[in-house]
Amino acid sequence: MASFPHLLRLDLRLQARSFLYPATAVSTGLICLFVALFPGDTLSPRVTAFFVFMDPATIGLSFVGAMVLAERTSGTLFALGVTPARPAAYIAAKVVSLTLLTFLSSVIVVQVATGGAYAVGLLLVALTLCSTVAVLLGLVCVAGVASMNHLVVRLLWVTTVLYLPLLAYFRVLPQPLTPLVTWIPSYAMLVAVEASVEPGSVSAIGMLAANLYLGAWMWVGWRWTVKRFRDAVITEGR
């Protein structure tokens, strides 16, 4: 992982050149606007968790795919393929850089939604897990994709599946069907974020189970992503 610091700096520069920061500022501003439109007494912890969840989901799934396609077009991936850089270092740089961006945008949303009444430590843990899982899923989606149209189709299917747990989370789905969607990691993301924005709204066991489940997804996602990029992206240039 000796090349990780170099790849992280490269990632940050690429994000700046790709206008990712203005795009994130706009999306964060729109979320904050929606939050501000809710009367103070109707913004429940579940609704707040949903607004916060949208940031890592958007940044991790959508932005990372566009970044990787831009790197492929510019020849960056080919250059990485003929250097000693390991796929793990490339993936870690993406995860860290986008998670840092998620921290900034999500904390702003939480600050607007709660007025500062949230558990900072729990929020950072939840955001780290949520952002990492989302970025890894986004990288898996873009691995082997040759065009933006192909990526959009993949993301459409993945996003549809990831948003299904919202029906269970907001108790719209009939109870007998709820267990069918709670295994999707986005449900655990929502629970982990809710536990941080409103301490006590989720039991300690529920919060621990959500974090452990996301940790398991992060481990599986890491191994899966490294394999996908070794097979479909990095080795493409070797």
Side-chain angles (χ1 to χ4, degrees):
M1 298 284 282
S3 58
F4 170 75
H6 171 71
L7 289 173
L8 181 59
R9 289 193 297 271
L10 182 66
D11 242 25
L12 295 174
R13 289 198 296 269
L14 175 63
Q15 290 174 11
R17 290 199 302 267
S18 303
F19 301 101
L20 183 58
Y21 301 136
T24 301
V26 170
S27 66
T28 301
L30 289 174
I31 294 173
C32 289
L33 177 62
F34 283 127
V35 169
L37 291 176
F38 275 81
D41 57 347
T42 63
L43 194 61
S44 68
R46 287 176 181 264
V47 175
T48 302
F50 167 69
F51 281 125
V52 177
F53 161 80
M54 289 176 65
D55 254 347
T58 301
I59 293 173
L61 281 175
S62 304
F63 291 173
V64 72
M67 288 176 61
V68 172
L69 283 181
E71 289 176 347
R72 172 176 283 175
T73 302
S74 64
T76 302
L77 291 182
F78 177 82
L80 287 173
V82 297
T83 66
R86 298 170 55 194
Y90 173 82
I91 293 166
K94 285 283 185 291
V95 170
V96 171
S97 63
L98 290 173
T99 297
L100 290 174
L101 192 58
T102 296
F103 281 161
L104 180 60
S105 57
S106 296
V107 167
I108 292 173
V109 173
V110 174
Q111 189 70 31
V112 172
T114 67
Y118 59 93
V120 178
L122 292 178
L123 180 65
L124 293 181
V125 170
L127 290 177
T128 298
L129 292 170
C130 293
S131 178
T132 300
V133 172
V135 171
L136 292 174
L137 286 175
L139 288 170
V140 168
C141 287
V142 76
V145 167
S147 67
M148 181 60 74
N149 288 340
H150 191 184
L151 176 62
V152 168
V153 172
R154 280 195 180 182
L155 288 178
L156 178 62
W157 284 105
V158 173
T159 302
T160 300
V161 172
L162 286 179
Y163 275 79
L164 279 177
L166 289 172
L167 299 176
Y169 185 68
F170 287 107
R171 297 168 184 169
V172 176
L173 199 66
Q175 186 60 36
L177 299 178
T178 297
L180 297 178
V181 299
T182 54
W183 60 270
I184 300 173
S186 48
Y187 187 86
M189 292 180 186
L190 290 163
V191 172
V193 172
E194 181 187 343
S196 64
V197 300
E198 184 68 28
S201 62
V202 177
S203 67
I205 294 177
M207 178 184 65
L208 180 61
N211 287 332
L212 288 176
Y213 188 61
L214 289 175
W217 266 92
M218 186 171 64
W219 182 79
V220 172
W222 174 264
R223 294 176 62 88
W224 188 16
T225 307
V226 170
K227 182 180 186 304
R228 288 281 290 164
F229 266 70
R230 185 184 295 116
D231 296 341
V233 179
I234 301 298
T235 56
E236 187 176 276
R238 293 191 186 276

